[in-house]
Amino acid sequence: MRVLSSLDPPSGTCTLPAALAPATQLTCMSLVNEQLKIDSTESMRYFTGNDANPSPALQKNVRDGLRAFLRRPLGDKAYKARRLDAVVAMCAGAQRSAEMLEADVITWRGILTKIMIRADLCLAVSYYEGTLYLEEDSTKTRFDDNLAWNYTGRKFETLSSRPSTAATTADDVDMHTLWAVGIKRRLGTLDIVLVGEVDCVDAQYSPAEPSPSHYVELKTRKFESPQLRNLAKWDIQSGLIDCPRIFVGFPDRAGVVRETRNLPVFPIPQDKLDWCARVLHALIDLCATEHGDRTGGINVWQVRMKDGEVHANLMSDRQVARMNAGGPRKNGILPMTFLAALAKRKGMA
């Protein structure tokens, strides 16, 4: 069914313009060797640029190790949809869990970015006890068609930063280790918890008093075509977590970084914020009023966004079971362990 079009007037539940309140880091998580560690900075990295050496990756080759990476088994190269398992585990297990679980919306930062830029998007969406949960649709497996570029980007990140612990060496490139932050902020009338990977932080970042003002995003662009495109997307990605700075490297065809630049992050345009607020409100209205007929399970909506329109279809029990096959036990898109934690917290209230 059609849920929303950019040509529709705003719904009564969505007040525009939708102001975006400042971001607060409530928690963070480290993913190391496929192990999730909540409230952990183990996989956090520090930016190594300074006054004496402002461009640590300059004249270094970001293609070193690429051939060995491309010879890995195909399973290592499959694109893995960003499901909510790690996000909700962090929400339930963090020291500031209560604040996170009060949110109206819980999702990944990348999903909100794609909504704002109106990218083609397919999501799995559920609404449970007053909270909207959004994750990427994982019913279709595909291979990452940007493997080489993704590797060189991660190599640039590795060369431009150092680990916060001695767990890895400076030259290690690990595509599966990440450090992500749990941010809470208000968009219009909605309290949103969004989780986003942070490439590194500056030397002033304090885990005891974490501030997004010390985040640093790292990007690469081809040296042969240095005109910077997609700046609006970069601004939205960084702006959603209140990251103030983007450090860009420009490798040539051989992979050698020939130039670097520091870019400021500009505010997210109001029309992008308004569209995101409209989409989220429309999905909440849909989920709260259309109950469907799943037999005892939490409803899951397959939501498709394209060309300024949002369409949704209620997934069947069979579709949901197929989506969750081989993973942890779930009710809809929510892990049973998370639902048990919610029930326990509710019983203690």
Side-chain angles (χ1 to χ4, degrees), residues 212-249:
S213 63
H214 299 299
Y215 300 160
V216 181
E217 296 268 61
L218 303 173
K219 303 286 187 183
T220 54
R221 275 294 177 267
K222 295 178 181 178
F223 180 70
E224 289 78 10
S225 54
Q227 62 272 23
L228 289 173
R229 301 173 182 173
N230 298 326
L231 283 183
K233 180 180 178 180
W234 287 3
D235 285 335
I236 291 171
Q237 284 178 323
S238 298
L240 279 170
I241 59 172
D242 260 0
C243 172
R245 176 185 177 192
I246 302 172
F247 184 71
V248 189

Side-chain angles (χ1 to χ4, degrees), residues 38-59:
I38 301 169
D39 291 326
S40 166
T41 58
E42 180 176 335
S43 57
M44 184 183 77
R45 299 181 68 90
Y46 284 101
F47 182 61
T48 51
N50 52 47
D51 292 340
N53 183 22
S55 303
L58 201 61
Q59 303 305 321

Side-chain angles (χ1 to χ4, degrees), residues 325-343:
R329 290 181 60 237
K330 294 185 178 182
N331 187 338
I333 62 175
L334 300 179
M336 296 299 292
T337 51
F338 173 67
L339 296 174
L342 289 184

